[in-house]
Amino acid sequence: HEWIKNNPPNHQGYWECYLKISPNCIPWIDIDQLTLDHVVARSKDSTKLTDQTNLAPACYPCNEMKASKDLEELRV
């Protein structure tokens, strides 16, 4: 995947979950646990669908909890 090539894991082979919102958060994600979240939800701005800079590493529980909300909506 292009994003992984441009955003390699740390020296231990992990990415950090940028959300950390789920009680089941896996803060350090390996390649098998990695999901990429659209920071600006696809439903909010379809032009961001293929924008690599709109992707961030998230564990599955956090990505599922965020769903199609924006970060601002999560902080309310």
Side-chain angles (χ1 to χ4, degrees), residues 2-73:
E2 187 72 20
W3 186 91
I4 293 171
K5 188 172 82 173
N6 293 329
N7 299 274
N10 69 17
H11 69 283
Q12 294 175 310
Y14 295 99
W15 290 269
E16 187 172 4
C17 177
Y18 90 106
L19 289 168
K20 297 185 184 123
I21 57 172
S22 170
N24 299 315
C25 178
I26 304 163
W28 294 102
I29 316 158
D30 66 21
I31 190 70
D32 295 326
Q33 301 163 317
L34 177 67
T35 67
L36 294 176
D37 178 60
H38 288 86
V39 178
V40 175
R42 295 173 295 181
S43 61
K44 308 269 183 191
D45 184 351
S46 62
T47 66
K48 300 275 188 190
L49 183 63
T50 59
D51 182 355
Q52 297 286 311
T53 64
N54 188 45
L55 298 175
C59 70
Y60 182 79
C62 288
N63 202 344
E64 186 176 51
M65 182 178 262
K66 179 180 174 274
S68 61
K69 298 177 195 87
D70 284 333
L71 296 176
E72 295 77 33
E73 293 175 273

